[in-house]
Amino acid sequence: MRIGFDTSQTGMTKAGCGWLADSLVRHLAEIDTQNEYVLYPTFGDVYWDMDGPTATVHIDRPNFHRGLSHPTLAEAQQFWRNPGDDFEARLGEPDIVHANSFFCPHGLRRARLVYTLHDLMFLEHPESTTEANRIACFMGVFGASLRADFIVAMSHYSRNHFLSTFPHYPADRVNVVHPGSRFHLQPECAHPKRLAHLQPGRFWLNVGTIEPRKNQRRLLQAYARLKAQSGRSFPLVLAGGKGWLMEGFDKFIEELGLQDDVILPGYVEETELQWLYQNCFAFLYPSLFEGFGLPVLEAMTLGAPVIASNTTSVPEIVGHAGLLVDPFAEDSIVNAMHQLATGQINRAVLRERGMAQSREFSWHSTAERVREVYRQIVEIPRLGTVAEKRVLVKA
């Protein structure tokens, strides 16, 4: 088979969707020598990485090569929004197209469509993102409910949320395929120069784009209370680039009197992130909504004790290996941090439980299951046209 694979978000500053696509295609390359893969550096009409045509993932294997890309967003929009008669020919005549971001293509006549479902956060927390992003995400997921021949959901939570929101979609065509962690514990992990001011085991860590959904403002308020209660605390590192709707974030830190306690390194390189995970006192992740929660798994893989949300998909990932808190309740976050900081909760036990739990997730297993989806999808009837007609009739 020839599989067209969306790599549009795997560039230099990739976040959740990009890391998932990057890791998946790399592991597919390790296990699949039979199928041919065409990688699309630009995919869709909304997300744009100006370095995408050159900076997205390269796979040095004879059955992997780069496909169509566009030099400008305007050209990408023209192509994806108005697919012509030569649409699939320009895509390289794929048998399957796998969409890995929220964008869902239309216009495929022969190729089967696999869609990666991340989450429906934009429906539950519309205040946490921009109107443009809400529209783009909704159109993508709704389009998948009409046109995708198969959906790969990142968690059971996301699968159930999707099926309850779009009950017209056949449940037997949505499989849960948990991602894995791209990290492995390294006993000799060099201390990055940029992080030389951090002492191993003596800082709290939060990882993720700084945006409302990740709940960093409430985390800062909880941290300020912990510091006031104890008179001191380890510094708090918020590792990640700034996202949308976070104007005045630096001022917020100053208003809490934390400008000397909170460290904002911005987007961190992979080697820096590994060191942060392996050397933090604990990993804090009170996110309001997650389709999976990849940083939680990464932290557990590298031995970081975890305090994380008790909502959406996160308990599915953490199991009994971490401290689960109500992300909407400041008291809940403070209490968990206090218990760990004072030794009421055994940090070493939490660390061991997390590492054991992380072994339940494997990118090799993920790639095997996705390859099986590719095999199955060409043996079942195409869904798109039938599903679209069914929805239109009901409407």
mmCIF file of all heavy atoms in Angstrom, residues 268-288:
data_model
loop_
_atom_site.group_PDB
_atom_site.id
_atom_site.type_symbol
_atom_site.label_atom_id
_atom_site.label_comp_id
_atom_site.label_asym_id
_atom_site.label_seq_id
_atom_site.Cartn_x
_atom_site.Cartn_y
_atom_site.Cartn_z
ATOM 1 N N VAL A 268 11.854 24.347 25.284
ATOM 2 C CA VAL A 268 13.110 23.686 25.619
ATOM 3 C C VAL A 268 13.422 22.583 24.615
ATOM 4 O O VAL A 268 12.524 21.939 24.079
ATOM 5 C CB VAL A 268 13.083 23.097 27.051
ATOM 6 C CG1 VAL A 268 12.976 24.205 28.077
ATOM 7 C CG2 VAL A 268 11.947 22.100 27.224
ATOM 8 N N GLU A 269 14.704 22.389 24.366
ATOM 9 C CA GLU A 269 15.144 21.327 23.481
ATOM 10 C C GLU A 269 14.928 19.972 24.147
ATOM 11 O O GLU A 269 14.770 19.867 25.361
ATOM 12 C CB GLU A 269 16.619 21.509 23.140
ATOM 13 C CG GLU A 269 16.962 22.807 22.436
ATOM 14 C CD GLU A 269 16.306 22.909 21.061
ATOM 15 O OE1 GLU A 269 16.084 21.851 20.443
ATOM 16 O OE2 GLU A 269 16.023 24.033 20.631
ATOM 17 N N GLU A 270 14.958 18.915 23.333
ATOM 18 C CA GLU A 270 14.648 17.586 23.836
ATOM 19 C C GLU A 270 15.614 17.147 24.940
ATOM 20 O O GLU A 270 15.206 16.545 25.936
ATOM 21 C CB GLU A 270 14.647 16.582 22.677
ATOM 22 C CG GLU A 270 14.005 15.261 23.009
ATOM 23 C CD GLU A 270 13.678 14.449 21.778
ATOM 24 O OE1 GLU A 270 13.923 14.927 20.641
ATOM 25 O OE2 GLU A 270 13.174 13.333 21.932
ATOM 26 N N THR A 271 16.902 17.436 24.775
ATOM 27 C CA THR A 271 17.876 17.045 25.795
ATOM 28 C C THR A 271 17.650 17.817 27.097
ATOM 29 O O THR A 271 17.835 17.267 28.195
ATOM 30 C CB THR A 271 19.310 17.282 25.301
ATOM 31 O OG1 THR A 271 19.446 18.650 24.862
ATOM 32 C CG2 THR A 271 19.649 16.345 24.146
ATOM 33 N N GLU A 272 17.249 19.074 26.986
ATOM 34 C CA GLU A 272 16.944 19.870 28.170
ATOM 35 C C GLU A 272 15.705 19.330 28.878
ATOM 36 O O GLU A 272 15.667 19.242 30.109
ATOM 37 C CB GLU A 272 16.733 21.334 27.774
ATOM 38 C CG GLU A 272 17.970 22.014 27.206
ATOM 39 C CD GLU A 272 17.676 23.408 26.691
ATOM 40 O OE1 GLU A 272 16.563 23.640 26.184
ATOM 41 O OE2 GLU A 272 18.571 24.268 26.791
ATOM 42 N N LEU A 273 14.702 18.960 28.079
ATOM 43 C CA LEU A 273 13.470 18.441 28.658
ATOM 44 C C LEU A 273 13.727 17.129 29.394
ATOM 45 O O LEU A 273 13.189 16.894 30.477
ATOM 46 C CB LEU A 273 12.422 18.252 27.557
ATOM 47 C CG LEU A 273 11.037 17.795 28.000
ATOM 48 C CD1 LEU A 273 10.445 18.745 29.039
ATOM 49 C CD2 LEU A 273 10.100 17.688 26.796
ATOM 50 N N GLN A 274 14.558 16.275 28.807
ATOM 51 C CA GLN A 274 14.903 15.019 29.469
ATOM 52 C C GLN A 274 15.520 15.292 30.841
ATOM 53 O O GLN A 274 15.156 14.650 31.837
ATOM 54 C CB GLN A 274 15.880 14.213 28.602
ATOM 55 C CG GLN A 274 16.509 13.023 29.311
ATOM 56 C CD GLN A 274 16.207 11.698 28.673
ATOM 57 O OE1 GLN A 274 15.759 11.624 27.534
ATOM 58 N NE2 GLN A 274 16.454 10.635 29.409
ATOM 59 N N TRP A 275 16.460 16.221 30.898
ATOM 60 C CA TRP A 275 17.107 16.523 32.175
ATOM 61 C C TRP A 275 16.099 17.070 33.179
ATOM 62 O O TRP A 275 16.118 16.698 34.367
ATOM 63 C CB TRP A 275 18.237 17.532 31.965
ATOM 64 C CG TRP A 275 19.041 17.731 33.225
ATOM 65 C CD1 TRP A 275 20.131 17.017 33.620
ATOM 66 C CD2 TRP A 275 18.776 18.686 34.261
ATOM 67 N NE1 TRP A 275 20.572 17.472 34.846
ATOM 68 C CE2 TRP A 275 19.759 18.493 35.266
ATOM 69 C CE3 TRP A 275 17.818 19.680 34.441
ATOM 70 C CZ2 TRP A 275 19.801 19.256 36.423
ATOM 71 C CZ3 TRP A 275 17.851 20.444 35.613
ATOM 72 C CH2 TRP A 275 18.829 20.237 36.578
ATOM 73 N N LEU A 276 15.207 17.935 32.730
ATOM 74 C CA LEU A 276 14.200 18.504 33.625
ATOM 75 C C LEU A 276 13.307 17.419 34.214
ATOM 76 O O LEU A 276 13.063 17.393 35.429
ATOM 77 C CB LEU A 276 13.348 19.531 32.879
ATOM 78 C CG LEU A 276 14.015 20.867 32.541
ATOM 79 C CD1 LEU A 276 13.176 21.665 31.564
ATOM 80 C CD2 LEU A 276 14.281 21.673 33.810
ATOM 81 N N TYR A 277 12.818 16.522 33.385
ATOM 82 C CA TYR A 277 11.975 15.424 33.872
ATOM 83 C C TYR A 277 12.731 14.569 34.888
ATOM 84 O O TYR A 277 12.207 14.221 35.948
ATOM 85 C CB TYR A 277 11.550 14.527 32.711
ATOM 86 C CG TYR A 277 10.381 15.006 31.879
ATOM 87 C CD1 TYR A 277 10.416 14.908 30.480
ATOM 88 C CD2 TYR A 277 9.220 15.505 32.456
ATOM 89 C CE1 TYR A 277 9.340 15.309 29.697
ATOM 90 C CE2 TYR A 277 8.147 15.920 31.682
ATOM 91 C CZ TYR A 277 8.207 15.814 30.296
ATOM 92 O OH TYR A 277 7.139 16.204 29.531
ATOM 93 N N GLN A 278 13.964 14.195 34.559
ATOM 94 C CA GLN A 278 14.719 13.271 35.406
ATOM 95 C C GLN A 278 15.158 13.883 36.726
ATOM 96 O O GLN A 278 15.425 13.159 37.692
ATOM 97 C CB GLN A 278 15.955 12.741 34.672
ATOM 98 C CG GLN A 278 15.650 11.709 33.619
ATOM 99 C CD GLN A 278 16.874 10.960 33.135
ATOM 100 O OE1 GLN A 278 16.853 10.384 32.067
ATOM 101 N NE2 GLN A 278 17.940 10.935 33.907
ATOM 102 N N ASN A 279 15.225 15.211 36.795
ATOM 103 C CA ASN A 279 15.819 15.846 37.963
ATOM 104 C C ASN A 279 14.871 16.731 38.760
ATOM 105 O O ASN A 279 15.296 17.348 39.749
ATOM 106 C CB ASN A 279 17.041 16.660 37.532
ATOM 107 C CG ASN A 279 18.201 15.772 37.115
ATOM 108 O OD1 ASN A 279 18.934 15.253 37.947
ATOM 109 N ND2 ASN A 279 18.336 15.563 35.809
ATOM 110 N N CYS A 280 13.616 16.822 38.373
ATOM 111 C CA CYS A 280 12.685 17.644 39.143
ATOM 112 C C CYS A 280 12.323 16.954 40.466
ATOM 113 O O CYS A 280 12.394 15.730 40.591
ATOM 114 C CB CYS A 280 11.426 17.948 38.335
ATOM 115 S SG CYS A 280 10.381 16.518 37.959
ATOM 116 N N PHE A 281 11.928 17.758 41.441
ATOM 117 C CA PHE A 281 11.420 17.195 42.691
ATOM 118 C C PHE A 281 10.092 16.489 42.436
ATOM 119 O O PHE A 281 9.845 15.396 42.947
ATOM 120 C CB PHE A 281 11.235 18.303 43.736
ATOM 121 C CG PHE A 281 10.636 17.822 45.023
ATOM 122 C CD1 PHE A 281 11.405 17.114 45.930
ATOM 123 C CD2 PHE A 281 9.304 18.067 45.312
ATOM 124 C CE1 PHE A 281 10.846 16.645 47.119
ATOM 125 C CE2 PHE A 281 8.742 17.619 46.503
ATOM 126 C CZ PHE A 281 9.508 16.897 47.404
ATOM 127 N N ALA A 282 9.259 17.110 41.607
ATOM 128 C CA ALA A 282 7.984 16.499 41.204
ATOM 129 C C ALA A 282 7.470 17.211 39.967
ATOM 130 O O ALA A 282 7.795 18.378 39.712
ATOM 131 C CB ALA A 282 6.951 16.580 42.328
ATOM 132 N N PHE A 283 6.665 16.498 39.222
ATOM 133 C CA PHE A 283 6.061 17.035 38.005
ATOM 134 C C PHE A 283 4.619 17.404 38.302
ATOM 135 O O PHE A 283 3.846 16.592 38.831
ATOM 136 C CB PHE A 283 6.115 15.992 36.888
ATOM 137 C CG PHE A 283 5.489 16.445 35.599
ATOM 138 C CD1 PHE A 283 6.103 17.411 34.826
ATOM 139 C CD2 PHE A 283 4.286 15.908 35.162
ATOM 140 C CE1 PHE A 283 5.526 17.853 33.640
ATOM 141 C CE2 PHE A 283 3.707 16.332 33.972
ATOM 142 C CZ PHE A 283 4.331 17.311 33.214
ATOM 143 N N LEU A 284 4.229 18.635 37.952
ATOM 144 C CA LEU A 284 2.898 19.166 38.252
ATOM 145 C C LEU A 284 2.130 19.377 36.954
ATOM 146 O O LEU A 284 2.595 20.084 36.061
ATOM 147 C CB LEU A 284 3.027 20.500 38.991
ATOM 148 C CG LEU A 284 3.987 20.524 40.190
ATOM 149 C CD1 LEU A 284 4.125 21.950 40.724
ATOM 150 C CD2 LEU A 284 3.508 19.586 41.277
ATOM 151 N N TYR A 285 0.936 18.793 36.872
ATOM 152 C CA TYR A 285 0.182 18.894 35.613
ATOM 153 C C TYR A 285 -1.320 19.009 35.899
ATOM 154 O O TYR A 285 -2.099 18.085 35.641
ATOM 155 C CB TYR A 285 0.467 17.666 34.748
ATOM 156 C CG TYR A 285 0.221 17.880 33.273
ATOM 157 C CD1 TYR A 285 1.059 18.701 32.518
ATOM 158 C CD2 TYR A 285 -0.830 17.257 32.620
ATOM 159 C CE1 TYR A 285 0.850 18.892 31.168
ATOM 160 C CE2 TYR A 285 -1.049 17.438 31.261
ATOM 161 C CZ TYR A 285 -0.210 18.250 30.537
ATOM 162 O OH TYR A 285 -0.423 18.431 29.183
ATOM 163 N N PRO A 286 -1.757 20.171 36.407
ATOM 164 C CA PRO A 286 -3.176 20.345 36.724
ATOM 165 C C PRO A 286 -3.994 20.831 35.526
ATOM 166 O O PRO A 286 -4.807 21.754 35.627
ATOM 167 C CB PRO A 286 -3.136 21.390 37.833
ATOM 168 C CG PRO A 286 -1.970 22.259 37.446
ATOM 169 C CD PRO A 286 -0.949 21.338 36.833
ATOM 170 N N SER A 287 -3.788 20.216 34.376
ATOM 171 C CA SER A 287 -4.465 20.641 33.144
ATOM 172 C C SER A 287 -5.975 20.475 33.268
ATOM 173 O O SER A 287 -6.461 19.525 33.885
ATOM 174 C CB SER A 287 -3.939 19.817 31.970
ATOM 175 O OG SER A 287 -4.609 20.147 30.773
ATOM 176 N N LEU A 288 -6.706 21.404 32.656
ATOM 177 C CA LEU A 288 -8.168 21.351 32.723
ATOM 178 C C LEU A 288 -8.752 20.297 31.794
ATOM 179 O O LEU A 288 -9.821 19.749 32.070
ATOM 180 C CB LEU A 288 -8.759 22.720 32.356
ATOM 181 C CG LEU A 288 -8.334 23.902 33.230
ATOM 182 C CD1 LEU A 288 -8.980 25.175 32.720
ATOM 183 C CD2 LEU A 288 -8.682 23.651 34.690
#
